[in-house]
Amino acid sequence: MNKSFKSVITLLLLTVVLAACGSNNSGTGTTSNASPESANNGEKVKLTAWAWNVNVGALNEAITAYQQDHPNVALEVQDIGRLDVYDKLSTGLAAGGAGLPDIVLVEDDRLQGYLDAFPKGFVNLSEKGFDAKLSEFPTFKQELTKKDGVSYAFPFDAGPTGVFYRTDLFEQAGVDASKIETWDDYLAAGKLIKEKTGAQLFPVDKFKDDATLRIMLNEQGAFYFDKDGKIDFNNPKYVKALETLKKFDEAGLIKDVNGWDGTVSATVDGTIASIAFGAWYTGTITDQAKDLSGKWGVFQVPAFEKGGNRAANLGGSSWALTSTSKNVDAAFSFMEYFSTSPDVQKVAMEKYGLFPSLTSVYNEDIFTTGVEFFSNQNIWMLFAQEMNAVPTPYYTKDYSVALDESVKAQSDVFNGKAAADALKEAAARLKDRTSREVNGG
């Protein structure tokens, strides 16, 4: 992931040269366009999109519905793999937009990097009128798709977080999940669960990823960078999060896992009793642990103090239009339909497990009924109710470098270093690598 994303920054140097060559890259969508109206009058429009995995199916479902009123608009969705999308997008943008599709899927943690590196590479959606629809999305998703107050992407899926837990193991230990409100409560519950069942509390890929730490940061309204783009590793909230994570490790409650496969294995083999992750993890659990149906539940991520915020997000993506598209108007019309249609977003969730950012979908039946696999708990409403309370994380173009340094700091703490010291050292390294200012440094 990080290696691929670094190509964006490397290729930024090329854009300075290639921009002089020109490519009608105005960023306003003013290239010669075919509108959906002209298509209905007989002019056929074929849109192209780059995406991966389940997102491909969601887009194909949407175009089928869209064609009922726009029969001459076709869409070719190219499933070229997530990392290949980023490699090809970076190369195309650096070449002034050569070979790019009309529509491209970009994860939220990468979007700001592209907007910084290629400020004229994507269509200005504010100028196209999309801002009138933004109130239909949570604030954090709105802000993640903007640069300098301008919208450049259509909000799509999100990853509101929760703690997925084994109801049978909690019951065996006499732990009531509904009583867990804080990380201290969770720690006490974990000690009892391990004593009674032998299971550790949750998995962490200690030396390669900091997903749990990011959840802890986000719910506190902190992240790698502050809203001004300064390095925020020395933030007391960051120190508190890492110190809290270390407490769980010192109590023997964290299972060290290796990568995604290790995380999934620990989730389904009974060696851990819970895991904090995004809503999208429901699909992995139901697919990989079919024999555990009815033995899972979800509760909100614990707060750092009683009554504190328990909403956080992990993951999510948005759709952008490339400014060299010859079909900007048609692409905009389709993607506005795709992103703001409750019916379309409901299908994306029900069939493909993509949790919608569009808040009007939360009135649909799927959000008011229980899920059999999860002990008939209404888990989707639990996730939906978080969305408007999720603080905005500030990724910046240096997100991948900051992630690398955050993981190093986490590793240092698990190896015995004090959290404040590890973070201060990581902040200094990050400053050297990015030339950004450090808060509290």
Side-chain angles (χ1 to χ4, degrees):
M1 173 176 173
N2 294 346
K3 181 179 179 181
S4 174
F5 186 60
K6 289 176 183 175
S7 62
V8 178
I9 307 305
T10 302
L11 291 170
L12 173 59
L13 298 175
L14 294 176
T15 63
V16 176
V17 177
L18 292 168
C21 300
S23 62
N24 293 324
N25 227 12
S26 66
T28 61
T30 56
T31 53
S32 58
N33 303 320
S35 69
E37 290 75 17
S38 64
N40 283 338
N41 289 330
E43 180 182 344
K44 292 185 179 297
V45 177
K46 183 177 181 179
L47 302 174
T48 57
W50 288 351
W52 60 85
N53 204 352
V54 291
N55 303 284
V56 174
L59 212 56
N60 281 325
E61 295 271 358
I63 193 63
T64 299
Y66 185 75
Q67 286 172 333
Q68 294 179 15
D69 293 323
H70 305 87
N72 291 327
V73 178
L75 174 68
E76 177 188 355
V77 187
Q78 299 177 17
D79 184 356
I80 58 176
R82 182 173 65 91
L83 297 183
D84 286 339
V85 164
Y86 294 133
D87 285 340
K88 289 169 68 69
L89 179 61
S90 300
T91 301
L93 287 169
L100 294 180
D102 302 293
I103 303 162
V104 62
L105 181 68
V106 183
E107 290 166 299
D108 291 337
D109 58 13
R110 295 175 181 249
L111 182 59
Q112 290 299 316
Y114 280 110
L115 294 178
D116 279 349
F118 308 101
K120 294 184 179 181
F122 302 98
V123 172
N124 181 329
L125 301 184
S126 294
E127 288 186 354
K128 306 291 290 182
F130 187 67
D131 286 0
K133 303 284 188 179
L134 284 181
S135 62
E136 300 179 36
F137 301 93
T139 300
F140 84 97
K141 285 293 287 190
Q142 296 179 37
E143 294 183 349
L144 288 175
T145 56
K146 288 183 176 182
K147 175 69 175 174
D148 298 328
V150 175
S151 297
Y152 287 99
F154 300 89
F156 182 37
D157 68 313
T161 58
V163 178
F164 298 87
Y165 74 101
R166 285 282 298 272
T167 55
D168 55 337
L169 295 180
F170 272 56
E171 289 171 4
Q172 184 179 337
V175 173
D176 183 353
S178 69
K179 303 296 184 183
I180 298 175
E181 299 183 39
T182 67
W183 288 101
D184 286 340
D185 294 339
Y186 191 34
L187 178 66
K191 292 177 179 178
L192 190 56
I193 290 168
K194 185 179 181 184
E195 177 188 343
K196 298 293 186 181
T197 72
Q200 291 174 280
L201 191 57
F202 59 87
V204 172
D205 191 351
K206 292 183 179 180
F207 308 106
K208 296 179 183 176
D209 191 26
D210 68 344
T212 306
L213 179 59
R214 271 179 281 151
I215 292 173
M216 290 175 157
L217 292 174
N218 188 210
E219 72 170 343
Q220 294 183 90
F223 207 62
Y224 302 155
F225 306 100
D226 67 9
K227 64 180 180 180
D228 297 318
K230 295 180 180 179
I231 298 167
D232 210 23
F233 279 33
N234 295 322
N235 189 322
K237 294 177 180 178
Y238 210 140
V239 176
K240 182 191 296 184
L242 199 45
E243 287 177 340
T244 300
L245 201 57
K246 182 62 182 296
K247 288 181 182 179
F248 284 90
D249 190 49
E250 290 175 337
L253 302 181
I254 292 179
K255 179 173 183 177
D256 185 16
V257 295
N258 184 16
W260 175 255
D261 290 343
T263 299
V264 174
S265 295
T267 303
V268 303
D269 66 10
T271 56
I272 56 103
S274 62
I275 179 172
F277 245 159
W280 39 264
Y281 202 54
T282 56
T284 299
I285 294 176
T286 55
D287 180 63
Q288 297 294 318
K290 295 181 176 66
D291 59 332
L292 295 175
S293 178
K295 296 182 179 180
W296 283 95
V298 183
F299 62 89
Q300 283 187 302
V301 170
F304 277 87
E305 62 282 324
K306 192 170 184 178
N309 181 50
R310 301 177 68 176
N313 183 77
L314 189 70
S317 57
S318 300
W319 300 90
L321 308 181
T322 60
S323 58
T324 49
S325 167
K326 298 297 189 294
N327 305 299
V328 169
D329 289 341
F332 177 86
S333 178
F334 168 61
M335 289 310 302
E336 182 178 50
Y337 164 79
F338 174 84
S339 61
T340 62
S341 168
D343 289 340
V344 168
Q345 293 298 310
K346 180 182 177 182
V347 170
M349 179 175 169
E350 288 183 320
K351 293 190 67 173
Y352 301 101
L354 295 162
F355 192 91
S357 296
L358 183 68
T359 56
S360 57
V361 187
Y362 306 155
N363 296 319
E364 299 290 333
D365 290 346
I366 189 173
F367 287 91
T368 61
T369 56
V371 179
E372 182 179 359
F373 190 96
F374 290 92
S375 310
N376 289 315
Q377 182 184 353
N378 187 356
I379 63 171
W380 300 124
M381 184 55 70
L382 180 148
F383 290 124
Q385 289 174 341
E386 284 186 47
M387 292 291 280
N388 285 322
V390 173
T392 303
Y394 298 100
Y395 290 110
T396 83
K397 66 182 178 65
D398 294 316
Y399 166 72
S400 63
V401 184
L403 171 63
D404 182 50
E405 291 297 346
S406 181
V407 172
K408 288 179 182 177
Q410 175 180 275
S411 300
D412 286 344
V413 170
F414 282 132
N415 282 328
K417 186 168 288 186
D421 293 338
L423 288 168
K424 186 174 182 178
E425 293 170 7
R429 293 193 301 266
L430 186 55
K431 179 182 179 180
D432 289 340
R433 296 175 71 178
T434 65
S435 298
R436 290 181 181 271
E437 292 183 43
V438 179
N439 270 339

